[in-house]
Amino acid sequence: MDDLRSRAARRSKTKAKPHKNSARTKKPWISEKNWKLMYTRSEKLRRAKQLGIEYPRRTMLQILNTELPEKDLDMRNLLFICSRNQWRSPTAEAIWRKHPDFNAKSAGTSPRAKKTVRSADIRWADVIFVMEQKHKNRLIAEFSRMLDHKPVHVLDIPDEYKYMDPELVQELESVVRAYLES
C-alpha cells in the first residue's frame, strides 16, 4: 500500500510537529520586570494600582488602627472561648451580655463548634477569656500575630458543667470579675 494512501500516513503528515530547533517556533523572551526592585516609589505605587494589589503591605496593627470602627469608650468587648461552644462559653456570654458596661460573644476552638472562633472575633474583642490552657495554646497557634496586643486570660474552668449550671454561673462571675477589676 502506498504511503500517501494509508490512513495512518495521512494523519501523521497533517499532524506533524515542527522541530524544537526550528526558527518558526522560537518566541522572544518577554519577562515581567520586577517592579518592586526597578522603579521609584511613585512608579511602584502606579504599577501596584494597575495590578490591583496593595503596596506597600500594611502591618496588622496599621490595619486594626485604620479600618476598625471607633469603639464606644464605655463598653468593653469580652470574648469567651471553650472547645465546642456548647456549655461554658455560651453561659459566660449570657451572664456578661446582661451587664451594661460590656458586650459579650462566645466561640469554640474546635471545627465542630457551634460557632468557631474567627479572626473577626479576635479583632472585635478587647479582652479574651479561655476556659482552659489548651484553648489559649490553640488560639496562639492559629492567631499569634493578632493576639500580640490582646490580653488572654485562662479561667481554669473544667468541662464538667451544663449550660447555665448554677455552680458554673457563680464560678464565672467571680473569676471573670476578678480579672476585669484588676
Side-chain angles (χ1 to χ4, degrees):
M1 194 184 252
D2 190 7
D3 276 353
L4 296 176
R5 290 189 178 178
S6 79
R7 191 173 188 187
R10 286 193 312 264
R11 271 196 193 156
S12 66
K13 290 244 184 220
T14 58
K15 292 187 178 182
K17 296 180 183 176
H19 294 289
K20 289 184 180 179
N21 296 335
S22 170
R24 291 181 286 171
T25 61
K26 286 190 179 177
K27 293 181 182 175
W29 177 262
I30 300 172
S31 64
E32 171 75 19
K33 291 181 182 176
N34 190 342
W35 54 274
K36 291 179 186 174
L37 301 176
M38 301 287 293
Y39 301 133
T40 62
R41 180 169 174 77
S42 61
E43 291 171 327
K44 289 178 188 180
L45 293 172
R46 193 175 330 118
R47 182 67 178 139
K49 189 175 180 181
Q50 286 175 347
L51 295 173
I53 61 174
E54 180 182 346
Y55 181 82
R57 293 196 183 275
R58 294 182 297 164
T59 64
M60 183 57 68
L61 190 56
Q62 289 171 328
I63 292 170
L64 290 174
N65 288 339
T66 59
E67 292 184 359
L68 287 180
E70 290 295 322
K71 295 180 181 175
D72 188 4
L73 297 176
D74 298 338
M75 301 286 278
R76 288 176 62 191
N77 297 329
L78 310 178
L79 178 63
F80 295 96
I81 296 175
C82 66
S83 296
R84 305 255 330 253
N85 192 30
Q86 205 168 18
W87 296 323
R88 295 175 289 177
S89 60
T91 301
E93 178 185 5
I95 293 168
W96 290 97
R97 192 183 324 139
K98 296 175 187 173
H99 200 284
D101 295 336
F102 302 108
N103 293 320
K105 283 186 181 180
S106 65
T109 56
S110 170
R112 295 176 146 190
K114 288 182 180 178
K115 181 182 180 291
T116 306
V117 66
R118 299 171 303 158
S119 58
D121 298 328
I122 302 292
R123 272 187 256 129
W124 174 84
D126 294 324
V127 182
I128 300 171
F129 294 100
V130 295
M131 299 299 159
E132 298 175 36
Q133 182 63 41
K134 68 179 181 179
H135 303 134
K136 182 175 180 177
N137 295 342
R138 288 179 186 160
L139 283 180
I140 290 171
E142 194 168 342
F143 305 105
S144 60
R145 299 198 85 192
M146 295 181 78
L147 293 171
D148 286 345
H149 306 289
K150 303 272 183 180
V152 180
H153 302 292
V154 180
L155 301 178
D156 288 322
I157 297 177
D159 191 12
E160 52 191 47
Y161 300 103
K162 297 290 183 188
Y163 180 71
M164 295 304 279
D165 187 340
E167 292 176 21
L168 175 61
V169 170
Q170 184 180 6
E171 191 170 350
L172 280 168
E173 285 178 342
S174 63
V175 175
V176 172
R177 182 161 302 172
Y179 281 113
L180 293 175
E181 290 174 355
S182 63

